[in-house]
Amino acid sequence: MKAESFLPDDYRPAESEPFMNERQTEYFRRKLLTWKQELLSDSRDTVAGMKDQTRNIPDIADRASEETDRALELRTRDRQRKLVSKIDAALRRIDEGEYGYCEITGEPISLKRLDARPIATMSLEAQERHERREKVHRDD
């Protein structure tokens, strides 16, 4: 693993610097790792909370409400679990030198898009084409 490079706290990737240079790569690596840690921490809190909140509620309406809340929480955690695997895939792409490039066209993904959605695998244009195709096939 590479030695950690210095990155100022106020650093933001700029279009004026070479695409996916060492500083940009480190910026996105840190962003992804921080996001992953937050998701994992939330997940641990949910599991601990569900263990603490297991109880027998006599009122059927209250019990139904709590079960609905739990089901919603579990769906949210499942989405986050899938998100963690996408974050891991993005970290692998960074290690392999493929991060930041569209998997369809091979062109660079805009820094604004990557900053907003660091797990993006397609440029905005390729993503839009993909979604239009998906909608057309879904309507059939």
Side-chain angles (χ1 to χ4, degrees):
M1 189 144 186
K2 284 180 17 179
E4 221 174 277
S5 61
F6 173 74
L7 197 64
D9 290 338
D10 63 344
Y11 174 78
R12 293 288 176 263
E15 298 287 340
S16 60
E17 53 188 337
F19 188 71
M20 282 303 128
N21 63 51
E22 196 173 305
R23 289 169 53 129
Q24 288 182 359
T25 303
E26 185 61 24
Y27 171 82
F28 286 111
R29 180 189 315 279
R30 289 182 187 184
K31 185 172 187 133
L32 288 161
L33 288 171
T34 300
W35 191 12
K36 180 179 176 179
Q37 289 307 101
E38 290 169 0
L39 292 171
L40 293 175
S41 175
D42 288 350
S43 181
R44 282 189 293 275
D45 293 346
T46 297
V47 170
M50 287 185 143
K51 285 180 182 175
D52 293 343
Q53 293 174 357
T54 301
R55 58 182 192 231
N56 188 10
I57 302 172
D59 183 65
I60 195 161
D62 289 344
R63 191 176 328 145
S65 178
E66 185 165 302
E67 288 300 318
T68 301
D69 291 347
R70 279 182 176 228
L72 180 61
E73 184 71 24
L74 289 172
R75 273 197 307 273
T76 300
R77 293 299 160 228
D78 188 50
R79 280 192 208 105
Q80 289 180 339
R81 178 187 56 78
K82 292 174 183 172
L83 191 52
V84 166
S85 70
K86 289 180 180 182
I87 291 170
D88 287 338
L91 290 167
R92 276 192 303 279
R93 287 193 306 278
I94 287 175
D95 291 339
E96 295 165 359
E98 299 171 1
Y99 183 80
Y101 295 91
C102 179
E103 67 182 12
I104 304 298
T105 66
E107 295 293 317
I109 299 171
S110 77
L111 291 174
K112 286 182 182 178
R113 177 164 169 73
L114 287 172
D115 209 22
R117 184 125 177 107
I119 59 172
T121 59
M122 290 185 246
S123 66
L124 188 57
E125 298 77 19
Q127 183 70 41
E128 288 172 345
R129 279 192 306 271
H130 172 75
E131 288 174 4
R132 276 194 302 273
R133 254 190 317 270
E134 223 174 44
K135 184 180 180 330
V136 167
H137 291 296
R138 200 176 25 225
D139 291 343
D140 288 347

